[in-house]
Amino acid sequence: MVGERLDYPAARTVDAQDTVMDISFPDPYRWLEDDSGETEAWQRAQNSLTDAFVGGWPHMAALRASVDRCVTDGTGSPNWMVDPAPRFAGGRWFRLDRTPAPDYPERAVLVVSDAPDGPGRALYDPNDDGTRQISWLAPSPDGRIAAFGVCEDGSELGEIWLLDAETGDRLPDRIPQRTMGPLVTPHWLPDSSGFFYTAGDLSSESFAFRVYFHAVGGAPATEPEPVDVAHGATVQVSVDGKRAVVSGVWPLPQYVCDLPERAWRPFVQGLGSSVAGVIDGDRYIAVTDHGAPRGRVIAIPFDEPAPSDPATWRELVPESGRVLSHVRLVGERLVVTGSVDTEARAWVFDRDGRELEEVPLPGRGALPLDVLPNAALTPTGHPEEFVFLFSTPTSSPGLYRYRPGSGRVDTLRAPRVHLPGATSSLRWARSADGTRVPYHLVLPDGADGTRALPTLITAYGGGRVAWPAQYPGPVAAFVAAGGALVISHQRGGGDLGSGWADAGRVRNKQNSFDDLYAIAGHLVDSGVTTAERLAVTGWSNGGIMAGVAFAQRPDLWTAVVSQCPVLDIIGCHRHPYGRFAITAEYGDLGDPDDIARLSGMSPYQLIEGDTVYPALYVHAGGADVACPPGPVRKFIARAQATAGPAPVLLRVWDGVGHGTATSRSEAVTHATHWLAFLMQRLNMAPREEGGVR
């Protein structure tokens, strides 16, 4: 089927317009947004076409085996949302692990053990329930109760369960509000009597989240806490149980609460800056980008009359050439994590900000759990030790421990997968405006970058979220098969600080795409690959990026894979979550000037009939509440109507959401599917020896 136009399922057109701020755009496939019988039949036909195209490749079984070896954990999270670190509580370790059965591993099992790895006792095995998946874990501080999120049918909307950690019995507590993990998890009171949690209000026009409190053994909460924090509020509780602080998903400690009375009062409000930190007695210590795009460490007293005024803050660690992102209180020390030229670093300071030492991290790579702005707001359960996950582009996450002052990092769980012979190096391209843009190039065993290889760029490039030099999960199978992998650090992400992120967001969003195109050009000019052997992929915001790259610069690629994307940016004005996400990252859907600008990067509006486009595969989840499949279907219909010989394929997976509540076996299937499409286009095949150990 390669080389001739496929027989795509027919899609009728309608005379419809999408009008935003008095600007109208043709919307001939609007009907495909609706979940009608006609739409479902069209989608089934698309899935059948894609399955036949991919399934005819003779190397599917070998590729699946390789992907299976590369997916190291028990969850199905996308490759930048790696397996959550084991949690220490009450002298024991709680973790989500692969099914300890001889059959094919399915869903993550909740295990309690005396060690972070090795034998343990299964507390809950969702494989017995068919469609359930554990998305996050939060044991009580005394280790008696395991709270965790249970999702069904692939949706990220989950129910909170409580289990007795001794018997494995489910407690009678029932919590009616749905959480949206794993980005928000409960925070326990130190005495394990209850916890704060965040639940989504999907009926809200702003896609809001509310904070609730649950007392173990008590009645379900019917009213949220009296705090107004939008978009993924996270509650922190001090180790002495005297205070709680609530921050938004872009961290700002907006309210402080005096416990146990639960008397909330405003704290730091009204700033467009990140202030992410920890409660340290009578003050809040945080990394902030206010007046410091690369980050500085400050302290804010809780009794400060004007805590929202940065002039009242005490600076502990000034801004420097390194990027500071998170701070943790470890015993009497502060451990500050960040990066230098996108590669992870960690430093130890005393509580007055005097630098004491650098943590000897086990290589050049990433602290994968630190990619999100609010990552360090969740306690680890190790008050005297810095316990962390670390990975490199050629080795999967290991679990490590550092005791301040020891000068030695201990391995608690070694990396489970290595790409033998593969190498990783930091390189720089120059974007259209002259900005130098970093990227990591991962070469397979035996390659030195002087011979053109099939090459895949992976990127995210948005939301102030870093896309660090970390293990690529299932995409490691591409390297194991002899391909070169690129990890892009383009603007829009937080890889070089908040200034780097803001230079590729909203009115500067085109810079992010231009950075990607510059990396593609640099790879070709330096002989790593050719346009005929170059592909690009991304997930979520990266999926949008891949769609934009397909439509704006079709000449750069031989294949594009867009995962869980929004491909009609203009049409997001009709959807609560899409309106929130696009306004935050791309532009104001209520501003006519922004609408005109966004139309130049919205893939659905950019498709033209006289343009030769590369091969395309779009992955979508039928239960995705963030990026639903309807707008994706419209884009595919329009792209197929103008397609040449290069295939344009869609796969919508039933019972699958945005990917963070997907079972392990489903994640392996999905990755195998799109990698098979890609490797078929690039004339690749899995190596017999596997390339993984």
Side-chain angles (χ1 to χ4, degrees):
M1 287 185 285
V2 177
E4 61 184 41
R5 191 181 189 278
L6 296 177
D7 185 15
Y8 298 113
R12 62 183 176 86
T13 59
V14 296
D15 184 15
Q17 296 283 320
D18 196 356
T19 301
V20 195
M21 302 303 297
D22 296 327
I23 304 174
S24 293
F25 302 91
D27 195 0
Y29 299 100
R30 170 72 71 84
W31 64 275
L32 281 168
E33 284 195 11
D34 301 328
D35 292 326
S36 65
E38 181 184 14
T39 295
E40 291 176 3
W42 184 88
Q43 183 173 294
R44 285 195 301 270
Q46 292 285 348
N47 286 348
S48 296
L49 175 68
T50 301
D51 290 347
F53 185 94
V54 173
W57 192 52
H59 307 289
M60 284 291 288
L63 177 60
R64 184 185 180 98
S66 180
V67 172
D68 181 41
R69 288 190 293 269
C70 293
V71 176
T72 62
D73 67 321
T75 72
S77 297
N79 55 14
W80 66 280
M81 296 281 292
V82 299
D83 56 327
R87 300 286 296 278
F88 184 79
R92 295 180 293 183
W93 294 84
F94 294 77
R95 67 178 189 263
L96 302 180
D97 213 346
R98 296 174 64 161
T99 309
D103 57 350
Y104 189 80
E106 289 280 336
R107 305 174 194 280
V109 176
L110 173 56
V111 172
V112 61
S113 174
D114 292 333
D117 203 6
R121 174 167 52 90
L123 286 179
Y124 174 63
D125 186 348
N127 296 286
D128 298 333
D129 297 325
T131 63
R132 290 179 177 144
Q133 170 79 7
I134 304 173
S135 65
W136 53 260
L137 168 65
S140 62
D142 61 11
R144 294 185 302 105
I145 301 172
F148 56 99
V150 178
C151 299
E152 292 195 66
D153 299 320
S155 172
E156 277 71 31
L157 296 177
E159 182 181 3
I160 297 177
W161 284 25
L162 303 181
L163 290 189
D164 185 307
E166 292 298 330
T167 65
D169 295 333
R170 187 177 176 188
L171 300 187
D173 303 56
R174 295 296 183 267
I175 300 172
Q177 297 85 7
R178 310 289 281 185
T179 66
M180 192 170 180
L183 301 185
V184 288
T185 58
H187 287 242
W188 286 85
L189 298 182
D191 64 1
S192 301
S193 62
F195 54 84
F196 293 97
Y197 63 97
T198 302
D201 177 7
L202 301 188
S203 64
S204 169
E205 284 297 296
S206 62
F207 205 77
F209 292 82
R210 310 296 182 199
V211 175
Y212 296 85
F213 180 80
H214 178 73
V216 174
T222 57
E223 295 294 330
E225 296 293 295
V227 295
D228 182 16
V229 178
H231 314 318
T234 297
V235 179
Q236 299 168 274
V237 180
S238 62
V239 293
D240 59 10
K242 293 181 178 180
R243 289 188 177 89
V245 168
V246 62
S247 299
V249 68
W250 309 125
L252 190 69
Q254 297 180 47
Y255 294 88
V256 61
C257 178
D258 296 317
L259 299 173
E261 295 84 1
R262 298 225 309 274
W264 293 95
R265 55 187 168 87
F267 190 42
V268 182
Q269 299 192 336
L271 295 179
S273 304
S274 172
V275 180
V278 292
I279 302 172
D280 178 28
D282 294 328
R283 62 181 186 168
Y284 193 75
I285 297 179
V287 172
T288 182
D289 63 354
H290 186 85
R294 289 179 174 264
R296 60 190 176 114
V297 181
I298 52 94
I300 311 172
F302 285 117
D303 60 1
E304 165 59 48
S308 300
D309 181 1
T312 67
W313 302 347
R314 178 190 172 196
E315 183 174 89
L316 302 181
V317 180
E319 184 183 29
S320 66
R322 54 194 175 188
V323 174
L324 307 182
S325 55
H326 302 93
V327 60
R328 295 166 174 86
L329 184 61
V330 177
E332 294 298 312
R333 300 287 184 257
L334 303 175
V335 175
V336 179
T337 57
S339 63
V340 174
D341 287 342
T342 77
E343 295 176 347
R345 305 280 282 273
W347 303 271
V348 180
F349 298 84
D350 68 18
R351 289 161 73 178
D352 290 324
R354 182 170 62 94
E355 185 168 348
L356 303 176
E357 59 180 324
E358 182 170 347
V359 178
L361 296 178
R364 297 177 61 183
L367 298 161
L369 294 184
D370 277 11
V371 296
L372 296 173
N374 63 352
L377 303 187
T378 301
T380 65
H382 302 271
E384 304 297 328
E385 302 171 347
F386 175 42
V387 175
F388 59 96
L389 284 174
F390 185 86
S391 77
T392 74
T394 61
S395 60
S396 66
L399 185 69
Y400 302 92
R401 172 181 62 201
Y402 185 72
R403 294 187 174 99
S406 69
R408 184 187 73 253
V409 167
D410 300 318
T411 301
L412 300 179
R413 190 192 73 195
R416 294 171 174 171
V417 173
H418 295 270
L419 294 172
T423 60
S424 172
S425 62
L426 176 65
R427 300 191 175 194
W428 299 80
R430 193 167 296 279
S431 196
D433 64 356
T435 300
R436 295 178 71 239
V437 181
Y439 68 92
H440 275 81
L441 175 64
V442 184
L443 293 174
D445 185 19
D448 61 6
T450 61
R451 179 175 57 87
L453 294 174
T455 300
L456 174 62
I457 302 177
T458 61
Y460 191 78
R464 296 186 176 181
V465 172
W467 189 255
Q470 66 177 348
Y471 180 69
V475 186
F478 184 85
V479 181
L485 178 67
V486 172
I487 302 170
S488 167
H489 308 295
Q490 68 216 62
R491 284 174 286 183
D495 308 73
L496 295 180
S498 65
W500 184 257
D502 291 343
R505 297 178 59 249
V506 196
R507 293 188 181 275
N508 299 318
K509 191 64 198 176
Q510 186 60 45
N511 286 338
S512 185
F513 306 129
D514 289 345
D515 290 354
L516 174 70
Y517 308 151
I519 291 171
H522 192 258
L523 291 167
V524 172
D525 292 344
S526 59
V528 172
T529 192
T530 64
E532 293 74 28
R533 309 192 78 183
L534 181 60
V536 63
T537 188
W539 168 83
S540 192
N541 183 80
I544 303 176
M545 176 274 306
V548 175
F550 172 86
Q552 282 190 344
R553 291 298 307 273
D555 57 302
L556 291 177
W557 331 100
T558 192
V560 174
V561 176
S562 175
Q563 305 172 58
C564 299
V566 169
L567 296 176
D568 179 7
I569 293 176
I570 300 298
C572 284
H573 74 98
R574 291 180 277 109
H575 308 285
Y577 180 81
R579 186 165 54 250
F580 150 67
I582 293 302
T583 299
E585 182 64 24
Y586 288 81
D588 186 354
L589 291 166
D591 183 334
D593 291 337
D594 270 12
I595 293 296
R597 179 177 56 82
L598 291 174
S599 68
M601 61 182 65
S602 179
Y604 182 60
Q605 281 73 32
L606 285 175
I607 293 296
E608 297 178 346
D610 57 353
T611 300
V612 178
Y613 291 101
L616 176 68
Y617 180 112
V618 178
H619 160 107
D624 194 336
V625 298
C627 300
V632 170
R633 292 191 291 252
K634 293 195 317 178
F635 171 80
I636 287 293
R638 201 167 202 169
Q640 288 178 345
T642 63
V648 174
L649 300 175
L650 170 66
R651 189 53 165 96
V652 179
W653 300 92
D654 294 331
V656 173
H658 207 54
T660 58
T662 299
S663 73
R664 183 183 185 279
S665 58
E666 288 171 321
V668 169
T669 296
H670 302 162
T672 301
H673 218 261
W674 70 258
L675 279 168
F677 161 83
L678 189 62
M679 292 169 66
Q680 182 177 356
R681 292 295 301 177
L682 294 171
N683 195 27
M684 299 172 65
R687 292 174 172 175
E688 291 186 6
E689 65 272 20
V692 177
R693 63 171 172 82

